[in-house]
Protein backbone atom coordinates (compact mmCIF):
# COMPACT_ATOMS: atom_id res chain seq x y z
CA UNK A 1 0.00 0.00 0.00
CA UNK A 2 1.30 3.42 -0.92
CA UNK A 3 1.84 5.78 1.97
CA UNK A 4 -0.28 8.55 0.48
CA UNK A 5 -2.90 7.76 -2.12
CA UNK A 6 -4.92 10.04 -4.33
CA UNK A 7 -7.19 9.51 -7.28
CA UNK A 8 -5.10 10.77 -10.17
CA UNK A 9 -8.16 11.95 -12.06
CA UNK A 10 -8.53 13.85 -14.22
CA UNK A 11 -11.36 15.51 -12.36
CA UNK A 12 -13.43 17.91 -14.40
CA UNK A 13 -15.99 20.30 -12.91
CA UNK A 14 -17.90 23.24 -14.39
CA UNK A 15 -17.09 26.76 -13.30
CA UNK A 16 -18.87 27.64 -10.08
CA UNK A 17 -19.21 24.04 -8.89
CA UNK A 18 -17.59 22.44 -5.86
CA UNK A 19 -14.49 20.36 -6.57
CA UNK A 20 -13.80 17.57 -4.09
CA UNK A 21 -10.31 16.09 -3.85
CA UNK A 22 -9.59 13.08 -1.68
CA UNK A 23 -6.52 11.56 -0.07
CA UNK A 24 -5.87 8.59 2.19
CA UNK A 25 -2.73 7.86 4.16
CA UNK A 26 -1.30 4.76 5.75
CA UNK A 27 0.51 6.00 8.86
CA UNK A 28 -2.06 6.17 11.64
CA UNK A 29 0.34 8.24 13.72
CA UNK A 30 0.49 11.13 11.23
CA UNK A 31 -0.31 14.46 12.83
CA UNK A 32 -0.07 17.03 10.06
CA UNK A 33 -1.40 17.16 6.55
CA UNK A 34 -0.85 19.52 3.67
CA UNK A 35 -2.41 20.33 0.33
CA UNK A 36 -0.25 21.77 -2.42
CA UNK A 37 -1.30 23.13 -5.80
CA UNK A 38 0.97 22.70 -8.79
CA UNK A 39 0.43 24.42 -12.11
CA UNK A 40 1.93 22.80 -15.18
CA UNK A 41 5.65 23.54 -15.40
CA UNK A 42 5.73 25.18 -11.98
CA UNK A 43 6.71 24.01 -8.54
CA UNK A 44 4.12 23.20 -5.86
CA UNK A 45 2.72 25.91 -3.63
CA UNK A 46 1.18 25.32 -0.23
CA UNK A 47 -2.52 26.15 -0.06
CA UNK A 48 -3.78 24.45 3.10
CA UNK A 49 -2.54 22.71 6.19
CA UNK A 50 -4.63 20.84 8.75
CA UNK A 51 -3.70 19.23 12.03
CA UNK A 52 -6.98 18.48 13.86
CA UNK A 53 -10.01 16.41 13.02
CA UNK A 54 -12.80 18.33 11.37
CA UNK A 55 -12.94 21.15 8.86
CA UNK A 56 -10.64 24.07 8.29
CA UNK A 57 -11.77 26.84 6.00
CA UNK A 58 -9.67 29.41 4.15
CA UNK A 59 -11.55 31.45 1.59
CA UNK A 60 -12.94 29.12 -1.05
CA UNK A 61 -10.87 26.20 0.25
CA UNK A 62 -11.94 23.79 2.99
CA UNK A 63 -9.72 20.99 4.24
CA UNK A 64 -11.37 18.10 6.03
CA UNK A 65 -9.54 15.60 8.22
CA UNK A 66 -10.74 12.32 9.66
CA UNK A 67 -7.91 10.60 11.48
CA UNK A 68 -9.99 7.55 12.38
CA UNK A 69 -10.56 6.87 8.69
CA UNK A 70 -7.09 8.14 7.73
CA UNK A 71 -8.68 10.43 5.22
CA UNK A 72 -8.08 14.03 4.30
CA UNK A 73 -9.92 15.98 1.63
CA UNK A 74 -9.90 19.38 0.00
CA UNK A 75 -13.03 21.14 -1.17
CA UNK A 76 -12.88 24.07 -3.55
CA UNK A 77 -16.07 26.10 -3.64
CA UNK A 78 -17.10 28.28 -6.57
CA UNK A 79 -14.42 26.68 -8.72
CA UNK A 80 -12.72 28.97 -11.22
CA UNK A 81 -10.79 28.11 -14.40
CA UNK A 82 -7.70 29.43 -12.61
CA UNK A 83 -8.08 26.56 -10.13
CA UNK A 84 -7.19 24.12 -12.91
CA UNK A 85 -4.01 22.46 -11.66
CA UNK A 86 -2.71 19.32 -10.03
CA UNK A 87 -3.41 19.09 -6.32
CA UNK A 88 -0.96 17.17 -4.17
CA UNK A 89 -1.71 15.72 -0.76
CA UNK A 90 1.35 15.56 1.50
CA UNK A 91 1.99 13.86 4.83
CA UNK A 92 5.26 14.12 6.78
CA UNK A 93 7.10 10.85 7.26
CA UNK A 94 9.99 10.81 9.73
CA UNK A 95 12.43 13.23 8.12
CA UNK A 96 10.73 13.95 4.83
CA UNK A 97 7.38 14.64 3.23
CA UNK A 98 5.49 11.96 1.32
CA UNK A 99 3.36 13.10 -1.57
CA UNK A 100 0.42 11.49 -3.27
CA UNK A 101 0.49 11.14 -7.03
CA UNK A 102 -1.69 14.23 -7.34
CA UNK A 103 -5.17 14.81 -8.73
CA UNK A 104 -5.41 16.77 -11.94
CA UNK A 105 -8.36 19.19 -11.77
CA UNK A 106 -9.86 20.96 -14.76
CA UNK A 107 -12.47 23.67 -14.24
CA UNK A 108 -14.39 24.30 -17.45
CA UNK A 109 -15.76 27.79 -18.15
CA UNK B 1 5.41 32.74 3.74
CA UNK B 2 9.02 31.68 3.57
CA UNK B 3 10.93 32.14 0.32
CA UNK B 4 13.09 29.54 -1.35
CA UNK B 5 15.11 30.64 -4.34
CA UNK B 6 16.24 28.12 -6.94
CA UNK B 7 18.33 28.79 -10.00
CA UNK B 8 18.81 28.46 -12.80
CA UNK B 9 15.18 28.09 -13.82
CA UNK B 10 16.11 26.51 -17.12
CA UNK B 11 19.31 25.01 -18.43
CA UNK B 12 20.22 23.34 -21.68
CA UNK B 13 23.49 21.46 -21.81
CA UNK B 14 25.39 19.00 -23.93
CA UNK B 15 25.62 15.35 -23.03
CA UNK B 16 28.61 14.64 -20.79
CA UNK B 17 28.72 18.03 -19.09
CA UNK B 18 27.89 18.75 -15.45
CA UNK B 19 25.18 21.09 -14.26
CA UNK B 20 24.88 22.72 -10.84
CA UNK B 21 21.54 23.81 -9.40
CA UNK B 22 21.38 26.05 -6.34
CA UNK B 23 18.67 26.21 -3.72
CA UNK B 24 18.63 28.98 -1.12
CA UNK B 25 16.28 29.71 1.74
CA UNK B 26 16.16 33.51 1.75
CA UNK B 27 14.47 34.40 5.03
CA UNK B 28 14.83 31.37 7.28
CA UNK B 29 17.33 28.75 8.26
CA UNK B 30 16.49 25.46 6.67
CA UNK B 31 17.43 22.51 8.81
CA UNK B 32 16.62 20.19 5.97
CA UNK B 33 16.39 20.55 2.23
CA UNK B 34 14.98 18.06 -0.21
CA UNK B 35 15.59 17.46 -3.87
CA UNK B 36 12.91 16.10 -6.16
CA UNK B 37 12.65 15.34 -9.83
CA UNK B 38 9.47 15.29 -11.80
CA UNK B 39 8.75 13.95 -15.27
CA UNK B 40 5.90 15.42 -17.33
CA UNK B 41 2.49 14.67 -15.84
CA UNK B 42 4.05 12.55 -13.12
CA UNK B 43 4.28 13.07 -9.39
CA UNK B 44 7.24 14.38 -7.45
CA UNK B 45 9.93 11.80 -6.84
CA UNK B 46 12.12 12.38 -3.82
CA UNK B 47 15.77 12.01 -4.76
CA UNK B 48 17.56 12.88 -1.55
CA UNK B 49 17.32 14.56 1.82
CA UNK B 50 20.02 17.03 2.69
CA UNK B 51 20.96 18.19 6.19
CA UNK B 52 23.44 20.98 6.76
CA UNK B 53 26.94 19.72 7.45
CA UNK B 54 26.24 16.07 6.85
CA UNK B 55 26.05 13.72 3.91
CA UNK B 56 22.82 13.60 1.99
CA UNK B 57 20.52 10.62 2.34
CA UNK B 58 19.62 9.27 -1.07
CA UNK B 59 16.48 7.41 -2.00
CA UNK B 60 16.78 3.91 -3.33
CA UNK B 61 17.75 3.87 -6.98
CA UNK B 62 19.27 7.36 -7.00
CA UNK B 63 22.96 7.32 -7.89
CA UNK B 64 24.84 9.38 -5.33
CA UNK B 65 27.90 9.70 -7.58
CA UNK B 66 25.79 11.10 -10.36
CA UNK B 67 23.65 13.46 -8.33
CA UNK B 68 26.04 15.22 -5.96
CA UNK B 69 24.39 17.13 -3.15
CA UNK B 70 26.20 19.62 -0.98
CA UNK B 71 24.54 21.39 1.94
CA UNK B 72 27.20 23.86 2.95
CA UNK B 73 25.10 26.10 5.18
CA UNK B 74 21.65 26.40 6.71
CA UNK B 75 20.53 28.46 3.73
CA UNK B 76 22.19 26.80 0.75
CA UNK B 77 22.07 23.38 -0.87
CA UNK B 78 23.35 22.48 -4.32
CA UNK B 79 22.61 19.60 -6.64
CA UNK B 80 25.17 18.79 -9.32
CA UNK B 81 24.16 16.48 -12.12
CA UNK B 82 27.45 15.01 -13.27
CA UNK B 83 28.10 13.75 -16.79
CA UNK B 84 24.55 14.52 -17.78
CA UNK B 85 22.77 12.37 -20.34
CA UNK B 86 19.49 12.91 -22.18
CA UNK B 87 17.67 10.61 -19.76
CA UNK B 88 18.56 13.07 -16.97
CA UNK B 89 16.35 15.66 -18.64
CA UNK B 90 13.67 16.48 -16.12
CA UNK B 91 12.21 19.13 -13.85
CA UNK B 92 14.26 19.34 -10.65
CA UNK B 93 12.72 20.97 -7.60
CA UNK B 94 14.20 21.75 -4.21
CA UNK B 95 12.31 22.38 -1.02
CA UNK B 96 13.26 23.47 2.45
CA UNK B 97 11.79 23.19 5.90
CA UNK B 98 12.45 24.77 9.25
CA UNK B 99 12.02 21.50 11.05
CA UNK B 100 10.91 17.92 10.96
CA UNK B 101 7.25 17.43 10.04
CA UNK B 102 6.77 21.10 9.25
CA UNK B 103 5.49 22.48 5.99
CA UNK B 104 7.74 22.54 2.97
CA UNK B 105 8.55 25.59 0.93
CA UNK B 106 9.48 24.93 -2.67
CA UNK B 107 11.91 26.55 -5.02
CA UNK B 108 10.64 27.51 -8.44
CA UNK B 109 12.20 24.47 -10.11
CA UNK B 110 14.85 23.92 -12.77
CA UNK B 111 14.01 22.49 -16.16
CA UNK B 112 17.07 20.58 -17.35
CA UNK B 113 17.36 19.59 -20.98
CA UNK B 114 20.34 17.49 -22.01
CA UNK B 115 21.02 17.37 -25.72
Amino acid sequence: QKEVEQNSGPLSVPEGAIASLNCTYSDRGSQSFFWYRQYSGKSPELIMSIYSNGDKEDGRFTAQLNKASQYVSLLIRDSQPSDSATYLCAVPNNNDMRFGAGTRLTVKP
Amino acid sequence: GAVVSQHPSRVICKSGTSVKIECRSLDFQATTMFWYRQFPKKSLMLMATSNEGSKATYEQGVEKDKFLINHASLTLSTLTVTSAHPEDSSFYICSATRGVKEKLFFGSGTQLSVL
Side-chain angles (χ1 to χ4, degrees):
Chain A
Q1 181 187 6
K2 292 183 180 178
E3 294 182 43
V4 181
E5 291 207 54
Q6 292 180 255
N7 186 334
S8 62
L11 173 65
S12 181
V13 301
E15 183 174 357
I18 296 175
S20 177
L21 306 161
N22 304 315
C23 172
T24 58
Y25 58 94
S26 61
D27 183 357
R28 188 170 284 280
S30 297
Q31 297 295 319
S32 49
F33 308 86
F34 305 96
W35 281 100
Y36 288 83
R37 176 176 62 199
Q38 186 177 23
Y39 291 112
S40 181
K42 303 293 184 183
S43 63
E45 57 178 323
L46 180 69
I47 53 172
M48 287 287 284
S49 59
I50 187 166
Y51 305 92
S52 304
N53 274 329
D55 295 359
K56 178 183 177 183
E57 190 174 313
D58 183 0
R60 294 186 296 111
F61 298 99
T62 299
Q64 299 175 318
L65 175 60
N66 184 325
K67 291 184 179 179
S69 300
Q70 295 173 243
Y71 175 96
V72 58
S73 64
L74 179 70
L75 301 178
I76 306 175
R77 290 183 302 282
D78 188 22
S79 296
Q80 302 296 309
S82 58
D83 295 326
S84 298
T86 296
Y87 290 81
L88 301 164
C89 173
V91 182
N93 174 32
N94 296 324
N95 294 324
D96 62 60
M97 188 79 75
R98 295 291 164 169
F99 287 87
T103 299
R104 192 148 41 98
L105 171 67
T106 300
V107 181
K108 294 186 176 180
Chain B
V3 178
V4 175
S5 171
Q6 181 177 346
H7 74 91
S9 58
R10 181 176 293 273
V11 58
I12 301 172
C13 69
K14 291 182 180 179
S15 186
T17 60
S18 294
V19 174
K20 180 185 280 189
I21 303 170
E22 284 193 357
C23 181
R24 293 180 184 271
S25 57
L26 297 185
D27 53 359
F28 69 101
Q29 291 188 327
T31 57
T32 307
M33 289 185 173
F34 304 96
W35 288 95
Y36 298 84
R37 68 186 297 183
Q38 187 175 36
F39 293 105
K41 298 186 179 180
K42 298 295 184 183
S43 187
L44 296 169
M45 290 173 43
L46 179 65
M47 298 176 67
T49 302
S50 170
N51 292 296
E52 183 263 341
S54 62
K55 290 184 179 180
T57 303
Y58 289 81
E59 294 295 297
Q60 192 172 8
V62 178
E63 299 176 58
K64 55 185 69 176
D65 292 333
K66 180 165 186 64
F67 298 100
L68 299 178
I69 292 172
N70 184 277
H71 196 150
S73 73
L74 282 170
T75 59
L76 173 64
S77 177
T78 60
L79 166 68
T80 301
V81 183
T82 62
S83 187
H85 286 94
E87 58 265 30
D88 298 325
S89 299
S90 185
F91 191 49
Y92 292 86
I93 310 173
C94 74
S95 68
T97 180
R98 290 187 178 96
V100 175
K101 301 186 189 294
E102 293 209 19
K103 60 192 72 171
L104 293 182
F105 300 97
F106 285 87
S108 54
T110 298
Q111 183 64 53
L112 171 64
S113 299
V114 185
L115 304 178

